[in-house]
Amino acid sequence: MAIREVFMPALSSTMTEGKIVSWTKSPGDRVEKGDTVLVVESDKADMDVESFAEGTLAIILSEAGESVPVGQTIALIAETAAEIEEAKQRGSGGAPKAAATAPVAAAATTAATPAPTATAPATVTLTSGRLIASPRAKKLAKDLGVSLDSLKGSGPNGRVVATDVANAAGKPLPTNMVSPSATPAVAAATATSAVVVQTAPPPAGVPMAKLTPFNTLQQAVNRNMVASLAVPTFRTGYTIDTSNLDVLYKQLKAKGVTMTALLAKAAAMTLKKYPMVNASYTDGGSQSHGAINIAVAVAMPDGGLITPVLANADQMDIYSLSRAWKDLVDRARAKQLQPAEYSSGTFTISNLGMFGVDKFDAILPPGTGAILAIGASRPAVVATQDGAIAVRSQMQVNMTADHRIIYGADAAAFLQDMSKLLETDANSLTM
């Protein structure tokens, strides 16, 4: 058996890097095919990574807490004592024996995701001799005007890290690039340097400004929001009388039915009549979907948001839909969702009404045709059809739609029919 490399796998189609949450195996441990070797935080979930090779985990190249580009080598698996020693030499920067060159192989991935191949751009090839630099090192080198070609890396496999660039420039490492696993001495030295170069300390009594790096989920949300700016969207608002819906909710709440499930069911039932609103844009045309999968935005405790998906919402009864929603939310906040459970939505709902928000516009998530922003239901004085004055509960909803596949008349008709369903036929949601 040759030495095998464990790569950072791509756990979703949008994932560019993953954060290592923990290693379930330690150097020296025996690894069998299918064993979980580490847990990786992808864009929106923590997922087990299984080994495609067997042997002994010789060395770990990226520790827990590090963010690693997809395809980069994070550990080495070997079999014989000689191979284990060679792997350790490679990992520590030592020169490998020429006669023991191993083929590059993807050794770890999840069951749901194909393993990265040896040709992946981010793969570290230990025997190629080409320059390897971390993303932070590349950014810092560009900022400081340092040529990476002139540097000798001190990281795993000779990789150039940010510290190498800072040392070459004769400047302290920026505090936001200090690794969480840095030794106390290094962290202290960097902190001291940062104090020395500070030219304008804040006045007495004013707290220092603090930079909080984005977590993996927040970075994914940021990328999606930036991508949304390229989509030509329009917004359509509608006011819905929720008097009958409120009565129904009070009757069903004790049975575990949630307002989110009722609204998702109403949207799904209406989408059956308007497949174009359930479609998404592709370069080749409008992509229709065979299923109606309602994604609902959920705020995460540590920042960011995720959109768990109620698959086939039009086919589920309201009680099953409510149970499924509770399970999805619980597992989303525990970072236990599978990619298909947060990336397969065909229509999205964002409900801030539970926070008392009257109305708002939502940003269209990439890959979907429309998102419905739902405000709070509030009593309002209205004029009835016969000219009388009455008090009615009203809810404002605003749809943001991709104008390349959905037009104003489509959105207006959808909202009108959803309004009629909730106002005059709310009981049909339980059928």
Side-chain angles (χ1 to χ4, degrees):
M1 170 183 171
I3 295 174
R4 302 282 180 156
E5 296 177 300
V6 180
F7 295 119
M8 172 60 70
L11 303 178
S12 70
S13 60
T14 59
M15 178 176 167
T16 58
E17 67 174 25
K19 181 179 180 180
I20 299 175
V21 177
S22 63
W23 286 91
T24 59
K25 298 285 186 179
S26 301
D29 287 353
R30 178 71 185 176
V31 176
E32 303 293 341
K33 290 183 180 179
D35 284 355
T36 297
V37 290
L38 73 157
V39 179
V40 170
E41 179 185 353
S42 66
D43 290 350
K44 301 184 178 181
D46 291 350
M47 302 189 69
D48 294 342
V49 177
E50 300 175 353
S51 175
F52 274 166
E54 61 182 24
T56 299
L57 184 60
I59 187 170
I60 291 174
L61 304 178
S62 298
E63 299 293 339
E66 289 188 42
S67 293
V68 182
V70 167
Q72 181 169 302
T73 307
I74 55 179
L76 299 176
I77 293 177
E79 182 63 50
T80 66
E83 289 174 346
I84 293 173
E85 185 59 33
E86 179 190 345
K88 291 180 179 179
Q89 290 179 0
R90 290 182 180 184
S92 61
K97 299 177 182 177
T101 302
V104 178
T109 185
T110 62
T113 308
T117 65
T119 58
T123 299
V124 176
T125 305
L126 300 180
T127 58
S128 67
R130 66 182 176 84
L131 178 68
I132 305 170
S134 70
R136 291 181 178 181
K138 293 177 181 178
K139 181 179 185 304
L140 187 60
K142 182 178 180 180
D143 293 343
L144 299 180
V146 175
S147 172
L148 290 173
D149 295 332
S150 64
L151 303 183
K152 181 178 180 181
S154 62
N157 309 313
R159 180 174 61 171
V160 176
V161 295
T163 303
D164 300 326
V165 177
N167 291 340
K171 296 185 178 182
L173 184 67
T175 55
N176 64 330
M177 289 191 177
V178 178
S179 168
S181 59
T183 62
V186 173
T190 304
T192 301
S193 300
V195 172
V196 172
V197 300
Q198 183 178 352
T199 58
V206 177
M208 288 278 289
K210 178 183 178 181
L211 175 65
T212 303
F214 294 117
N215 61 35
T216 307
L217 175 57
Q218 289 172 318
Q219 291 173 357
V221 172
N222 292 347
R223 289 193 297 270
N224 285 343
M225 296 304 98
V226 171
S228 293
L229 296 177
V231 178
T233 58
F234 70 96
R235 294 165 176 81
T236 308
Y238 210 94
T239 302
I240 299 176
D241 187 325
T242 61
S243 300
N244 291 334
L245 177 64
D246 293 340
V247 171
L248 178 64
Y249 176 57
K250 289 179 182 178
Q251 294 172 351
L252 300 178
K253 184 177 180 181
K255 299 179 181 179
V257 174
T258 64
M259 180 60 76
T260 295
L262 289 168
L263 293 170
K265 180 71 172 181
M269 291 174 65
T270 310
L271 285 170
K272 293 176 69 174
K273 298 173 58 179
Y274 297 95
M276 75 289 290
V277 181
N278 193 51
S280 58
Y281 172 86
T282 67
D283 290 338
S286 177
Q287 176 66 58
S288 61
H289 301 286
I292 295 177
N293 298 338
I294 306 297
V296 186
V298 173
M300 296 291 278
D302 55 350
L305 59 87
I306 192 169
T307 52
V309 176
L310 288 163
N312 300 306
D314 59 313
Q315 300 176 21
M316 298 177 68
D317 64 79
I318 196 63
Y319 304 102
S320 298
L321 205 62
S322 294
R323 288 192 297 269
W325 178 241
K326 183 180 185 305
D327 174 64
L328 285 168
V329 172
D330 289 344
R331 290 191 293 116
R333 288 176 174 161
K335 297 183 178 180
Q336 295 177 350
L337 292 181
Q338 296 298 310
E341 293 179 310
Y342 60 76
S343 61
S344 60
T346 58
F347 182 87
T348 308
I349 288 176
S350 180
N351 181 11
L352 292 182
M354 64 184 72
F355 299 103
V357 174
D358 292 321
K359 60 181 178 180
F360 68 103
D361 288 326
I363 297 176
L364 180 69
T368 59
I371 181 172
L372 189 64
I374 299 176
S377 176
R378 296 187 182 281
V381 177
V382 299
T384 63
Q385 292 287 348
D386 57 5
I389 299 297
V391 176
R392 297 282 189 270
S393 293
Q394 292 186 335
M395 174 176 70
Q396 180 72 32
V397 298
N398 293 323
M399 177 188 286
T400 302
D402 186 339
H403 213 329
R404 294 172 296 183
I405 57 172
I406 300 172
Y407 303 106
D410 301 325
F414 170 84
L415 292 177
Q416 186 178 54
D417 274 12
M418 183 173 172
S419 173
K420 288 179 180 178
L421 173 63
L422 293 175
E423 291 179 351
T424 64
D425 196 19
N427 287 332
S428 65
L429 299 177
T430 63
M431 298 177 183

